[in-house]
């Protein structure tokens, strides 16, 4: 499903760029989740952009998972551009980050990352239904969990993200 850290391929400039963009988008998502309850329009747009960047640069061997995660970010982008119900676009972006958190759980075996989809979902429902205190609590929990994933990602060598280039499905 994802890259194998035991295989060290030669990284070209595009490999390095995509790894940096993915890690940066994951990091930005954590920061944005810490302010989304107070600045929902700006933060929502930032989450959609970060989701699009993260999903277009993530390295996952299986194309079905890669396209599912990317599809939700593309949906979020299009829905936002059309200007229909903004919370649905944010929810689709949050789905992308939920899937990426599960992917990072498999990478790092940090069981706490499995709480990320739950925290993001509770945040979204609280946000949609106007439960401000609950949305703040779960946006902060989500920020911490995404920051944990991003921090773990930044600590590992870049080639761990890529793995065996010959195994990627197109």
């Amino acid at each position: 499903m994802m890259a194998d850290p035991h295989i060290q391929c030669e990284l070209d400039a595009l490999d390095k760029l995509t790894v940096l963009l993915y890690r940066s988008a994951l990091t930005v998502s954590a920061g944005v989740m810490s302010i989304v309850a107070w600045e929902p329009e700006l933060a929502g747009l930032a989450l959609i952009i970060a989701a699009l960047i993260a999903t277009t640069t993530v390295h996952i061997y299986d194309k079905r998972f890669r396209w599912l995660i990317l599809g939700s970010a593309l949906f979020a982008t299009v829905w936002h551009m059309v200007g229909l119900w903004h919370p649905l676009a944010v929810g689709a972006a949050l789905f992308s980050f939920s899937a990426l958190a599960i992917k990072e759980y498999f990478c790092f075996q940090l069981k706490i990352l499995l709480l990320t989809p739950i925290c993001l979902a509770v945040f979204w429902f609280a946000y949609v239904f106007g439960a401000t205190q609950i949305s703040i609590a779960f946006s902060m929990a989500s920020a911490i969990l995404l920051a944990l994933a991003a921090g773990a990602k930044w600590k590992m060598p870049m080639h761990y993200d890529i793995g065996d280039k010959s195994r990627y499905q197109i």
Side-chain angles (χ1 to χ4, degrees):
M1 181 167 131
M2 66 195 127
D4 183 353
H6 300 95
I7 297 181
Q8 186 170 352
C9 289
E10 184 75 27
L11 301 183
D12 60 26
L14 187 57
D15 293 330
K16 291 175 184 174
L17 176 64
T18 58
V19 169
L20 289 173
L21 285 171
Y22 174 71
R23 292 177 180 190
S24 297
L26 202 56
T27 304
V28 166
S29 72
V32 172
M33 282 307 298
S34 70
I35 64 163
V36 71
W38 294 279
E39 293 290 337
E41 292 299 316
L42 177 63
L45 177 59
L47 280 171
I48 292 166
I49 293 168
L52 190 59
I53 292 170
T55 58
T56 56
T57 57
V58 67
H59 295 91
I60 300 176
Y61 292 142
D62 192 314
K63 64 183 173 187
R64 295 170 300 172
F65 292 109
R66 194 171 57 248
W67 279 101
L68 174 68
I69 296 168
L70 176 58
S72 66
L74 289 171
F75 175 84
T77 304
V78 171
W79 198 259
H80 177 76
M81 289 171 52
V82 171
L84 296 174
W85 195 49
H86 180 72
L88 187 57
V90 172
L94 295 177
F95 175 84
S96 293
F97 285 113
S98 294
L100 292 172
I102 297 298
K103 177 243 185 249
E104 296 308 339
Y105 159 74
F106 285 109
C107 183
F108 299 114
Q109 295 299 303
L110 294 171
K111 289 191 188 289
I112 196 163
L113 291 180
L114 293 174
L115 294 175
T116 309
I118 296 165
C119 288
L120 289 171
V122 172
F123 159 75
W124 186 82
F125 279 105
Y127 165 67
V128 167
F129 291 107
T132 306
Q133 297 303 318
I134 296 171
S135 72
I136 290 170
F138 281 91
S139 71
M140 296 313 256
S142 298
I144 291 166
L145 291 167
L146 289 168
L148 180 64
K153 210 66 177 158
W154 283 108
K155 289 179 187 174
M156 56 189 258
M158 292 181 89
H159 76 271
Y160 278 31
D161 282 34
I162 304 292
D164 183 358
K165 291 182 183 182
S166 70
R167 292 193 50 210
Y168 286 97
Q169 297 175 3
I170 296 183

